[in-house]
Amino acid sequence: MRRLPRTPRALGLAAALAVTAMAGSAAPQPASRSSRAPQSAEDSGKAPAEATAGATPLRGSLGVSVGERLLSSSDPAARLRGIERLGEIGTEEAVSALLAALEQHGAPGARDPRTRLAAVRALAPHAQRDSVRQLLSRELSESAPARGAASPLGEVLRGTAALALARTGERRALGVLVNAIVQGGAAGEAAARAVKAHPPASLQLLLGSRKRLEPALVRFLGDLGDLRAIAALRPMLEGGDRAAQVPAARALARLGDEAALAKARAWLRKPEPGLFEPTAEILVYLGAPEAPDAVAALLGSELGRLEGLRLAELAPAERLVPALARALPLLPDDARPRAVAAIGRAGGAEAARQLRRLSNERPELGTAAAFALAMMPGAEARAAVAELFDGPRAAKDADLRRLGLRAGVVRGLVLRDAPEPLEERLLAALAAPKGSSDRAVGVFGAVALGLRDAVDVVGACSPSSCDRAAVHAAARGALVRGERSLAALAPLFVALAAPGGDGAAPGGGDAAPDAAAISAGVALLAEPGGAALATSRLAALAEAGGPLSPLAARALAARDDEVVRGRIERLLEGSDPVVRAHVALGLGSDPMPDSVSLLARAYRFEDDPAVRRAIIRGLSRRTEVQRRRVLVAARDLDPDDGVRALARAALSGVDARSLDLPRSALATGVVWVAIVPNDRSASASAASRPARLVRPDGLAVPVVADPDGVLLVPAVPPGASAVLLAPVAPPGDAGS
């Protein structure tokens, strides 16, 4: 049998190995359903001349040399690929090449925040190297014009560099962070957050060889909560250096160490003007019996009044109620509602009396006072709320009566301690004329407390007979009753929001639903897929920018296909961070597998932490392997604590459903807003005003105020919410 020559076979095998090596070295690219043009010579790692000259050496087509050529490109996308390639190679040669390119003056993209953020992420695993640590230090501390910190990505860039340094746990890296904390500013804040996220193994790594601790570092040690700092702080109380004693005593008090108590009591016996505030703060943090009197003294002083209010909020006490009441008219306008709330948290009979007086005599503080009464435990507060809606003045003052009814409903929802006559008065308010504020209050209270069903109260709704005020109130009340009650509003929402339907605003076009459709849009909370509304209509609502846009965008992303992909991508890159976040949430349930690539790309340079949290929530529901790289980067280097926690949970195998937004059982708060026009001539603009309430968990709820401009939104998780009013009230409510 004749044997074939061996040379051609060997050449063929070598060629196959070369092709395999080249394919394996390329960074994986996200899948795309659209056709892609042939790769350029630069993208494939070949110079134009080499691309036409035939075969090139293997080293010229792979590794560091390719990354260097990509970094010198004028194409930003190519430069980013070069950074990622060199970072993935991770050899000393690759890291040196990346550093050299970044330090080269006039290099393409050297000042581009995206380029530098990608470089910081790529270099983070090598932060123990002197040259890398120096670059990270510059990114943390250099001024805005020099390194693009004025960009929205500036905060992300600083925070990422700080975390990269803190993760090393190395003395020199921690020294960089401590110096930034001492200097203060944005870099100091980023450094402090990073050290809190990665506390050092030894506190001496933070303190170094310092013989004297700077006040900023002392304050940070108190905030850090590390009890090992007590040994370093106690000696600072000795001697006569007041500049060292005061911050040390405050830091020790925050750490719960009573060594500061004797010093504070000594200052209390011989008061000095500059010691009033630190003395009161130390006494409050240590729970000393002298604390209320010290805070009351601050409330009575012109210079310390705001600090006294802060401490009164921190440590409520019945003894503070008279001092808060006296300080109330002397505080700035924007601080007065805080003082009213502090009176409510202090509690007791005197607090109830003061709040009842404010509700009756100070209309500008009436909402704050009624809300404080609603949230204050005790029989005195319950009786005060009952008097607001059932007392002698309530029969003559409709505004006061509605104020009391709302306070009673809030009390029933939050404390389960509603006044006894509340149910009877709410049902009586249901009989008020349609479209009136009285009936709106009755509808909201009856639905929220489970006395009436939302759909039954609303009844038939058409342009000629729809009681829009009742729709607004019932929809907000249904938030308390859970997903089943919200889902029951879906048919009404579809009918009102459909193009040309009952809720289409006259002359407003398909994308301009009236207020009734906006209110009924709460059904999308229970129907994240958009219920039976047409996809084209969902897209129009998502792009319209109104209160319905976020939930419509979430539903549209969950219906991703070839037709709507372009619109989803535009929404994901839009200027509204709330809409971007909801698109990310919807992509978590997207049936198209390549949606994980959309989420991965969106995360890379997203500057809003709420949007990044939503992206991680979306990725937590995906199963594709591409998600892991983003989750690891978020877990290790994202400056936001919430993002890192969500990424850790997703990577640890926690069920994605447990990372979903909180259920109504956990959302027991109530937001109470009174819309007051700046100009009395524009008072009509507050009536039935649509708004978007963004809950602390990032979910946007479309709501519409009552005819008297009051907005009560229940079932809100703990934390800070944001309310954005629509520019003007939409047409369709003028006769309601």
Side-chain angles (χ1 to χ4, degrees), residues 508 510-513 524 533-557 563-576 579-580 582-583 692:
D510 286 348
L524 292 177
L533 198 64
T535 300
S536 59
R537 183 57 174 158
L538 275 177
L541 292 173
E543 295 168 345
L548 281 173
S549 291
L551 291 182
R554 182 179 72 160
L556 182 68
V563 176
V564 301
R565 171 56 70 90
R567 302 176 85 162
I568 292 172
E569 290 178 335
R570 287 192 293 274
L571 290 169
L572 192 57
E573 298 170 356
S575 60
D576 188 340
V579 172
R580 295 201 303 270
H582 283 69
V583 173
R692 179 179 77 187

mmCIF file of all heavy atoms in Angstrom, residues 508 510-513 524 533-557 563-576 579-580 582-583 692:
data_model
loop_
_atom_site.group_PDB
_atom_site.id
_atom_site.type_symbol
_atom_site.label_atom_id
_atom_site.label_comp_id
_atom_site.label_asym_id
_atom_site.label_seq_id
_atom_site.Cartn_x
_atom_site.Cartn_y
_atom_site.Cartn_z
ATOM 1 N N GLY A 508 -54.676 64.651 21.934
ATOM 2 C CA GLY A 508 -53.376 64.340 22.509
ATOM 3 C C GLY A 508 -52.625 63.269 21.769
ATOM 4 O O GLY A 508 -51.483 62.977 22.064
ATOM 5 N N ASP A 510 -52.079 59.228 20.169
ATOM 6 C CA ASP A 510 -52.113 57.904 20.763
ATOM 7 C C ASP A 510 -51.274 57.810 22.029
ATOM 8 O O ASP A 510 -51.524 56.961 22.873
ATOM 9 C CB ASP A 510 -51.604 56.872 19.746
ATOM 10 C CG ASP A 510 -52.642 56.621 18.654
ATOM 11 O OD1 ASP A 510 -53.789 57.072 18.838
ATOM 12 O OD2 ASP A 510 -52.288 55.998 17.640
ATOM 13 N N ALA A 511 -50.252 58.640 22.175
ATOM 14 C CA ALA A 511 -49.338 58.505 23.312
ATOM 15 C C ALA A 511 -49.710 59.408 24.475
ATOM 16 O O ALA A 511 -48.903 59.653 25.338
ATOM 17 C CB ALA A 511 -47.908 58.810 22.851
ATOM 18 N N ALA A 512 -50.924 59.950 24.495
ATOM 19 C CA ALA A 512 -51.296 60.890 25.555
ATOM 20 C C ALA A 512 -52.557 60.429 26.264
ATOM 21 O O ALA A 512 -53.637 60.960 26.020
ATOM 22 C CB ALA A 512 -51.486 62.284 24.965
ATOM 23 N N PRO A 513 -52.453 59.434 27.122
ATOM 24 C CA PRO A 513 -53.634 59.008 27.886
ATOM 25 C C PRO A 513 -54.020 60.065 28.906
ATOM 26 O O PRO A 513 -53.183 60.827 29.373
ATOM 27 C CB PRO A 513 -53.146 57.734 28.586
ATOM 28 C CG PRO A 513 -51.678 57.955 28.745
ATOM 29 C CD PRO A 513 -51.247 58.720 27.529
ATOM 30 N N LEU A 524 -50.229 47.601 35.882
ATOM 31 C CA LEU A 524 -48.978 47.078 35.332
ATOM 32 C C LEU A 524 -48.019 46.603 36.417
ATOM 33 O O LEU A 524 -47.063 45.883 36.132
ATOM 34 C CB LEU A 524 -48.293 48.144 34.475
ATOM 35 C CG LEU A 524 -49.016 48.521 33.171
ATOM 36 C CD1 LEU A 524 -48.289 49.635 32.452
ATOM 37 C CD2 LEU A 524 -49.155 47.297 32.266
ATOM 38 N N LEU A 533 -52.694 44.908 26.560
ATOM 39 C CA LEU A 533 -52.451 46.091 25.745
ATOM 40 C C LEU A 533 -51.532 45.747 24.578
ATOM 41 O O LEU A 533 -50.571 44.977 24.729
ATOM 42 C CB LEU A 533 -51.808 47.180 26.608
ATOM 43 C CG LEU A 533 -51.866 48.606 26.048
ATOM 44 C CD1 LEU A 533 -53.299 49.090 25.953
ATOM 45 C CD2 LEU A 533 -51.062 49.547 26.940
ATOM 46 N N ALA A 534 -51.825 46.299 23.433
ATOM 47 C CA ALA A 534 -51.043 46.018 22.235
ATOM 48 C C ALA A 534 -49.599 46.472 22.416
ATOM 49 O O ALA A 534 -49.324 47.486 23.066
ATOM 50 C CB ALA A 534 -51.663 46.714 21.029
ATOM 51 N N THR A 535 -48.665 45.746 21.805
ATOM 52 C CA THR A 535 -47.252 46.085 21.928
ATOM 53 C C THR A 535 -46.954 47.465 21.368
ATOM 54 O O THR A 535 -46.157 48.225 21.929
ATOM 55 C CB THR A 535 -46.393 45.029 21.213
ATOM 56 O OG1 THR A 535 -46.629 43.755 21.812
ATOM 57 C CG2 THR A 535 -44.919 45.360 21.310
ATOM 58 N N SER A 536 -47.601 47.819 20.264
ATOM 59 C CA SER A 536 -47.363 49.140 19.682
ATOM 60 C C SER A 536 -47.794 50.246 20.632
ATOM 61 O O SER A 536 -47.146 51.290 20.729
ATOM 62 C CB SER A 536 -48.115 49.267 18.355
ATOM 63 O OG SER A 536 -49.513 49.077 18.559
ATOM 64 N N ARG A 537 -48.879 50.009 21.360
ATOM 65 C CA ARG A 537 -49.341 51.014 22.314
ATOM 66 C C ARG A 537 -48.390 51.094 23.512
ATOM 67 O O ARG A 537 -48.107 52.178 24.022
ATOM 68 C CB ARG A 537 -50.755 50.672 22.780
ATOM 69 C CG ARG A 537 -51.367 51.678 23.729
ATOM 70 C CD ARG A 537 -51.405 53.056 23.119
ATOM 71 N NE ARG A 537 -52.121 54.010 23.962
ATOM 72 C CZ ARG A 537 -51.954 55.323 23.893
ATOM 73 N NH1 ARG A 537 -51.076 55.819 23.036
ATOM 74 N NH2 ARG A 537 -52.651 56.132 24.660
ATOM 75 N N LEU A 538 -47.903 49.942 23.976
ATOM 76 C CA LEU A 538 -46.917 49.947 25.049
ATOM 77 C C LEU A 538 -45.677 50.746 24.647
ATOM 78 O O LEU A 538 -45.144 51.529 25.429
ATOM 79 C CB LEU A 538 -46.512 48.519 25.401
ATOM 80 C CG LEU A 538 -47.379 47.741 26.380
ATOM 81 C CD1 LEU A 538 -46.844 46.327 26.525
ATOM 82 C CD2 LEU A 538 -47.424 48.435 27.738
ATOM 83 N N ALA A 539 -45.229 50.555 23.417
ATOM 84 C CA ALA A 539 -44.046 51.276 22.947
ATOM 85 C C ALA A 539 -44.307 52.779 22.926
ATOM 86 O O ALA A 539 -43.452 53.575 23.320
ATOM 87 C CB ALA A 539 -43.657 50.781 21.560
ATOM 88 N N ALA A 540 -45.506 53.174 22.471
ATOM 89 C CA ALA A 540 -45.832 54.600 22.438
ATOM 90 C C ALA A 540 -45.865 55.187 23.841
ATOM 91 O O ALA A 540 -45.364 56.289 24.083
ATOM 92 C CB ALA A 540 -47.173 54.806 21.735
ATOM 93 N N LEU A 541 -46.447 54.462 24.789
ATOM 94 C CA LEU A 541 -46.488 54.946 26.168
ATOM 95 C C LEU A 541 -45.096 55.015 26.767
ATOM 96 O O LEU A 541 -44.764 55.943 27.505
ATOM 97 C CB LEU A 541 -47.378 54.027 27.015
ATOM 98 C CG LEU A 541 -48.876 54.036 26.707
ATOM 99 C CD1 LEU A 541 -49.586 52.961 27.513
ATOM 100 C CD2 LEU A 541 -49.474 55.408 27.008
ATOM 101 N N ALA A 542 -44.257 54.029 26.477
ATOM 102 C CA ALA A 542 -42.895 54.019 27.018
ATOM 103 C C ALA A 542 -42.086 55.198 26.505
ATOM 104 O O ALA A 542 -41.255 55.755 27.238
ATOM 105 C CB ALA A 542 -42.204 52.705 26.660
ATOM 106 N N GLU A 543 -42.327 55.590 25.276
ATOM 107 C CA GLU A 543 -41.551 56.673 24.663
ATOM 108 C C GLU A 543 -42.147 58.044 24.919
ATOM 109 O O GLU A 543 -41.518 59.063 24.613
ATOM 110 C CB GLU A 543 -41.439 56.431 23.159
ATOM 111 C CG GLU A 543 -40.647 55.188 22.817
ATOM 112 C CD GLU A 543 -40.775 54.768 21.363
ATOM 113 O OE1 GLU A 543 -41.701 55.278 20.675
ATOM 114 O OE2 GLU A 543 -39.965 53.948 20.911
ATOM 115 N N ALA A 544 -43.363 58.099 25.503
ATOM 116 C CA ALA A 544 -44.043 59.381 25.680
ATOM 117 C C ALA A 544 -43.457 60.202 26.820
ATOM 118 O O ALA A 544 -43.626 61.412 26.861
ATOM 119 C CB ALA A 544 -45.536 59.149 25.924
ATOM 120 N N GLY A 545 -42.820 59.558 27.796
ATOM 121 C CA GLY A 545 -42.188 60.284 28.883
ATOM 122 C C GLY A 545 -43.089 60.677 30.025
ATOM 123 O O GLY A 545 -42.678 61.438 30.886
ATOM 124 N N GLY A 546 -44.302 60.171 30.111
ATOM 125 C CA GLY A 546 -45.208 60.519 31.192
ATOM 126 C C GLY A 546 -45.096 59.572 32.363
ATOM 127 O O GLY A 546 -44.195 58.729 32.438
ATOM 128 N N PRO A 547 -46.024 59.683 33.314
ATOM 129 C CA PRO A 547 -45.970 58.811 34.497
ATOM 130 C C PRO A 547 -46.061 57.325 34.167
ATOM 131 O O PRO A 547 -45.582 56.495 34.942
ATOM 132 C CB PRO A 547 -47.185 59.265 35.315
ATOM 133 C CG PRO A 547 -47.424 60.678 34.902
ATOM 134 C CD PRO A 547 -47.073 60.723 33.448
ATOM 135 N N LEU A 548 -46.654 56.968 33.035
ATOM 136 C CA LEU A 548 -46.773 55.558 32.672
ATOM 137 C C LEU A 548 -45.529 55.007 31.986
ATOM 138 O O LEU A 548 -45.406 53.789 31.819
ATOM 139 C CB LEU A 548 -47.975 55.356 31.736
ATOM 140 C CG LEU A 548 -49.359 55.306 32.375
ATOM 141 C CD1 LEU A 548 -50.433 55.282 31.301
ATOM 142 C CD2 LEU A 548 -49.499 54.095 33.273
ATOM 143 N N SER A 549 -44.615 55.884 31.581
ATOM 144 C CA SER A 549 -43.486 55.437 30.754
ATOM 145 C C SER A 549 -42.651 54.327 31.395
ATOM 146 O O SER A 549 -42.310 53.346 30.728
ATOM 147 C CB SER A 549 -42.595 56.625 30.403
ATOM 148 O OG SER A 549 -43.250 57.483 29.517
ATOM 149 N N PRO A 550 -42.268 54.428 32.686
ATOM 150 C CA PRO A 550 -41.408 53.373 33.237
ATOM 151 C C PRO A 550 -42.040 51.986 33.201
ATOM 152 O O PRO A 550 -41.410 51.019 32.743
ATOM 153 C CB PRO A 550 -41.151 53.847 34.669
ATOM 154 C CG PRO A 550 -41.320 55.329 34.611
ATOM 155 C CD PRO A 550 -42.423 55.555 33.632
ATOM 156 N N LEU A 551 -43.283 51.853 33.680
ATOM 157 C CA LEU A 551 -43.911 50.530 33.689
ATOM 158 C C LEU A 551 -44.181 50.038 32.276
ATOM 159 O O LEU A 551 -44.084 48.834 32.007
ATOM 160 C CB LEU A 551 -45.200 50.572 34.502
ATOM 161 C CG LEU A 551 -45.038 50.775 36.012
ATOM 162 C CD1 LEU A 551 -46.393 50.759 36.697
ATOM 163 C CD2 LEU A 551 -44.133 49.716 36.615
ATOM 164 N N ALA A 552 -44.520 50.944 31.369
ATOM 165 C CA ALA A 552 -44.718 50.533 29.976
ATOM 166 C C ALA A 552 -43.402 50.063 29.370
ATOM 167 O O ALA A 552 -43.369 49.093 28.599
ATOM 168 C CB ALA A 552 -45.299 51.690 29.171
ATOM 169 N N ALA A 553 -42.292 50.724 29.731
ATOM 170 C CA ALA A 553 -40.983 50.305 29.219
ATOM 171 C C ALA A 553 -40.613 48.932 29.752
ATOM 172 O O ALA A 553 -40.032 48.102 29.032
ATOM 173 C CB ALA A 553 -39.927 51.335 29.600
ATOM 174 N N ARG A 554 -40.922 48.665 31.014
ATOM 175 C CA ARG A 554 -40.644 47.338 31.575
ATOM 176 C C ARG A 554 -41.422 46.261 30.826
ATOM 177 O O ARG A 554 -40.882 45.193 30.484
ATOM 178 C CB ARG A 554 -40.998 47.318 33.059
ATOM 179 C CG ARG A 554 -40.696 45.982 33.739
ATOM 180 C CD ARG A 554 -41.024 45.984 35.207
ATOM 181 N NE ARG A 554 -42.454 45.979 35.484
ATOM 182 C CZ ARG A 554 -43.000 45.608 36.640
ATOM 183 N NH1 ARG A 554 -42.217 45.222 37.638
ATOM 184 N NH2 ARG A 554 -44.296 45.648 36.817
ATOM 185 N N ALA A 555 -42.696 46.530 30.562
ATOM 186 C CA ALA A 555 -43.517 45.558 29.853
ATOM 187 C C ALA A 555 -43.036 45.374 28.421
ATOM 188 O O ALA A 555 -43.016 44.253 27.895
ATOM 189 C CB ALA A 555 -44.978 46.008 29.872
ATOM 190 N N LEU A 556 -42.628 46.467 27.768
ATOM 191 C CA LEU A 556 -42.149 46.368 26.387
ATOM 192 C C LEU A 556 -40.891 45.510 26.318
ATOM 193 O O LEU A 556 -40.745 44.675 25.411
ATOM 194 C CB LEU A 556 -41.871 47.768 25.845
ATOM 195 C CG LEU A 556 -41.416 47.840 24.391
ATOM 196 C CD1 LEU A 556 -42.548 47.440 23.457
ATOM 197 C CD2 LEU A 556 -40.922 49.247 24.042
ATOM 198 N N ALA A 557 -39.970 45.699 27.272
ATOM 199 C CA ALA A 557 -38.733 44.903 27.263
ATOM 200 C C ALA A 557 -39.023 43.426 27.468
ATOM 201 O O ALA A 557 -38.314 42.563 26.923
ATOM 202 C CB ALA A 557 -37.784 45.415 28.342
ATOM 203 N N VAL A 563 -38.995 43.154 16.036
ATOM 204 C CA VAL A 563 -39.660 44.389 15.657
ATOM 205 C C VAL A 563 -39.369 45.509 16.655
ATOM 206 O O VAL A 563 -39.114 46.650 16.266
ATOM 207 C CB VAL A 563 -41.184 44.155 15.530
ATOM 208 C CG1 VAL A 563 -41.903 45.457 15.220
ATOM 209 C CG2 VAL A 563 -41.471 43.113 14.462
ATOM 210 N N VAL A 564 -39.389 45.192 17.945
ATOM 211 C CA VAL A 564 -39.279 46.250 18.955
ATOM 212 C C VAL A 564 -37.874 46.379 19.536
ATOM 213 O O VAL A 564 -37.638 47.256 20.357
ATOM 214 C CB VAL A 564 -40.283 46.017 20.108
ATOM 215 C CG1 VAL A 564 -41.697 45.991 19.587
ATOM 216 C CG2 VAL A 564 -39.960 44.740 20.870
ATOM 217 N N ARG A 565 -36.940 45.539 19.129
ATOM 218 C CA ARG A 565 -35.600 45.589 19.725
ATOM 219 C C ARG A 565 -34.966 46.973 19.605
ATOM 220 O O ARG A 565 -34.359 47.485 20.550
ATOM 221 C CB ARG A 565 -34.709 44.527 19.089
ATOM 222 C CG ARG A 565 -33.217 44.609 19.459
ATOM 223 C CD ARG A 565 -32.962 44.567 20.965
ATOM 224 N NE ARG A 565 -33.223 43.291 21.560
ATOM 225 C CZ ARG A 565 -32.332 42.320 21.697
ATOM 226 N NH1 ARG A 565 -31.086 42.499 21.269
ATOM 227 N NH2 ARG A 565 -32.653 41.180 22.271
ATOM 228 N N GLY A 566 -35.098 47.602 18.455
ATOM 229 C CA GLY A 566 -34.495 48.917 18.282
ATOM 230 C C GLY A 566 -35.049 49.942 19.260
ATOM 231 O O GLY A 566 -34.316 50.768 19.804
ATOM 232 N N ARG A 567 -36.350 49.889 19.493
ATOM 233 C CA ARG A 567 -36.965 50.845 20.420
ATOM 234 C C ARG A 567 -36.516 50.555 21.858
ATOM 235 O O ARG A 567 -36.311 51.476 22.652
ATOM 236 C CB ARG A 567 -38.487 50.775 20.299
ATOM 237 C CG ARG A 567 -38.968 51.057 18.889
ATOM 238 C CD ARG A 567 -40.461 50.902 18.725
ATOM 239 N NE ARG A 567 -41.194 52.104 19.101
ATOM 240 C CZ ARG A 567 -42.449 52.335 18.735
ATOM 241 N NH1 ARG A 567 -43.106 51.439 17.997
ATOM 242 N NH2 ARG A 567 -43.060 53.438 19.110
ATOM 243 N N ILE A 568 -36.365 49.281 22.185
ATOM 244 C CA ILE A 568 -35.883 48.924 23.522
ATOM 245 C C ILE A 568 -34.462 49.441 23.732
ATOM 246 O O ILE A 568 -34.134 49.988 24.795
ATOM 247 C CB ILE A 568 -35.946 47.398 23.715
ATOM 248 C CG1 ILE A 568 -37.407 46.933 23.763
ATOM 249 C CG2 ILE A 568 -35.207 46.973 24.975
ATOM 250 C CD1 ILE A 568 -37.562 45.435 23.756
ATOM 251 N N GLU A 569 -33.624 49.295 22.726
ATOM 252 C CA GLU A 569 -32.246 49.771 22.851
ATOM 253 C C GLU A 569 -32.202 51.283 23.039
ATOM 254 O O GLU A 569 -31.402 51.798 23.828
ATOM 255 C CB GLU A 569 -31.442 49.355 21.623
ATOM 256 C CG GLU A 569 -31.174 47.853 21.543
ATOM 257 C CD GLU A 569 -30.422 47.460 20.287
ATOM 258 O OE1 GLU A 569 -30.530 48.211 19.290
ATOM 259 O OE2 GLU A 569 -29.747 46.430 20.301
ATOM 260 N N ARG A 570 -33.062 52.005 22.315
ATOM 261 C CA ARG A 570 -33.079 53.462 22.473
ATOM 262 C C ARG A 570 -33.543 53.858 23.873
ATOM 263 O O ARG A 570 -33.012 54.800 24.469
ATOM 264 C CB ARG A 570 -33.973 54.095 21.403
ATOM 265 C CG ARG A 570 -33.363 54.082 20.001
ATOM 266 C CD ARG A 570 -34.133 54.954 19.047
ATOM 267 N NE ARG A 570 -35.470 54.449 18.780
ATOM 268 C CZ ARG A 570 -35.769 53.546 17.852
ATOM 269 N NH1 ARG A 570 -34.800 53.044 17.094
ATOM 270 N NH2 ARG A 570 -37.010 53.154 17.667
ATOM 271 N N LEU A 571 -34.534 53.159 24.400
ATOM 272 C CA LEU A 571 -34.987 53.445 25.761
ATOM 273 C C LEU A 571 -33.901 53.134 26.790
ATOM 274 O O LEU A 571 -33.738 53.850 27.777
ATOM 275 C CB LEU A 571 -36.246 52.635 26.074
ATOM 276 C CG LEU A 571 -37.524 53.054 25.343
ATOM 277 C CD1 LEU A 571 -38.613 52.006 25.535
ATOM 278 C CD2 LEU A 571 -38.007 54.410 25.849
ATOM 279 N N LEU A 572 -33.140 52.068 26.536
ATOM 280 C CA LEU A 572 -32.079 51.672 27.463
ATOM 281 C C LEU A 572 -30.928 52.670 27.454
ATOM 282 O O LEU A 572 -30.155 52.740 28.417
ATOM 283 C CB LEU A 572 -31.579 50.276 27.094
ATOM 284 C CG LEU A 572 -30.665 49.559 28.087
ATOM 285 C CD1 LEU A 572 -31.334 49.419 29.442
ATOM 286 C CD2 LEU A 572 -30.268 48.189 27.548
ATOM 287 N N GLU A 573 -30.817 53.452 26.384
ATOM 288 C CA GLU A 573 -29.762 54.457 26.278
ATOM 289 C C GLU A 573 -30.303 55.868 26.473
ATOM 290 O O GLU A 573 -29.571 56.840 26.277
ATOM 291 C CB GLU A 573 -29.094 54.362 24.899
ATOM 292 C CG GLU A 573 -28.410 53.022 24.644
ATOM 293 C CD GLU A 573 -27.970 52.861 23.195
ATOM 294 O OE1 GLU A 573 -28.277 53.785 22.393
ATOM 295 O OE2 GLU A 573 -27.351 51.846 22.863
ATOM 296 N N GLY A 574 -31.566 56.003 26.876
ATOM 297 C CA GLY A 574 -32.202 57.310 26.962
ATOM 298 C C GLY A 574 -31.721 58.143 28.125
ATOM 299 O O GLY A 574 -30.883 57.736 28.941
ATOM 300 N N SER A 575 -32.290 59.345 28.242
ATOM 301 C CA SER A 575 -31.854 60.299 29.261
ATOM 302 C C SER A 575 -32.577 60.137 30.588
ATOM 303 O O SER A 575 -32.161 60.748 31.580
ATOM 304 C CB SER A 575 -32.065 61.731 28.741
ATOM 305 O OG SER A 575 -33.444 61.954 28.450
ATOM 306 N N ASP A 576 -33.656 59.347 30.651
ATOM 307 C CA ASP A 576 -34.416 59.182 31.887
ATOM 308 C C ASP A 576 -33.927 57.941 32.618
ATOM 309 O O ASP A 576 -34.159 56.812 32.182
ATOM 310 C CB ASP A 576 -35.910 59.046 31.562
ATOM 311 C CG ASP A 576 -36.779 59.076 32.818
ATOM 312 O OD1 ASP A 576 -36.250 58.827 33.919
ATOM 313 O OD2 ASP A 576 -37.985 59.340 32.684
ATOM 314 N N VAL A 579 -36.652 55.268 33.497
ATOM 315 C CA VAL A 579 -37.053 54.434 32.360
ATOM 316 C C VAL A 579 -35.960 53.415 32.054
ATOM 317 O O VAL A 579 -36.248 52.238 31.794
ATOM 318 C CB VAL A 579 -37.366 55.315 31.137
ATOM 319 C CG1 VAL A 579 -37.589 54.451 29.894
ATOM 320 C CG2 VAL A 579 -38.602 56.172 31.398
ATOM 321 N N ARG A 580 -34.706 53.834 32.085
ATOM 322 C CA ARG A 580 -33.614 52.887 31.824
ATOM 323 C C ARG A 580 -33.662 51.727 32.818
ATOM 324 O O ARG A 580 -33.470 50.564 32.458
ATOM 325 C CB ARG A 580 -32.254 53.588 31.917
ATOM 326 C CG ARG A 580 -32.007 54.655 30.883
ATOM 327 C CD ARG A 580 -30.530 54.941 30.679
ATOM 328 N NE ARG A 580 -29.818 55.327 31.876
ATOM 329 C CZ ARG A 580 -29.670 56.574 32.323
ATOM 330 N NH1 ARG A 580 -30.245 57.569 31.666
ATOM 331 N NH2 ARG A 580 -28.967 56.841 33.405
ATOM 332 N N HIS A 582 -36.232 50.516 34.415
ATOM 333 C CA HIS A 582 -37.362 49.625 34.168
ATOM 334 C C HIS A 582 -37.155 48.774 32.920
ATOM 335 O O HIS A 582 -37.618 47.629 32.863
ATOM 336 C CB HIS A 582 -38.655 50.433 34.082
ATOM 337 C CG HIS A 582 -39.168 50.862 35.425
ATOM 338 N ND1 HIS A 582 -38.524 51.803 36.193
ATOM 339 C CD2 HIS A 582 -40.238 50.454 36.151
ATOM 340 C CE1 HIS A 582 -39.188 51.958 37.329
ATOM 341 N NE2 HIS A 582 -40.225 51.154 37.332
ATOM 342 N N VAL A 583 -36.465 49.319 31.916
ATOM 343 C CA VAL A 583 -36.109 48.486 30.763
ATOM 344 C C VAL A 583 -35.223 47.330 31.219
ATOM 345 O O VAL A 583 -35.406 46.179 30.804
ATOM 346 C CB VAL A 583 -35.406 49.328 29.678
ATOM 347 C CG1 VAL A 583 -34.888 48.427 28.556
ATOM 348 C CG2 VAL A 583 -36.353 50.367 29.109
ATOM 349 N N ARG A 692 -45.422 60.792 39.082
ATOM 350 C CA ARG A 692 -44.716 59.506 39.116
ATOM 351 C C ARG A 692 -44.012 59.410 40.459
ATOM 352 O O ARG A 692 -43.179 60.250 40.775
ATOM 353 C CB ARG A 692 -43.701 59.451 37.971
ATOM 354 C CG ARG A 692 -42.888 58.181 37.914
ATOM 355 C CD ARG A 692 -41.947 58.220 36.733
ATOM 356 N NE ARG A 692 -40.786 59.060 36.953
ATOM 357 C CZ ARG A 692 -39.886 59.360 36.024
ATOM 358 N NH1 ARG A 692 -40.039 58.921 34.793
ATOM 359 N NH2 ARG A 692 -38.848 60.130 36.311
#
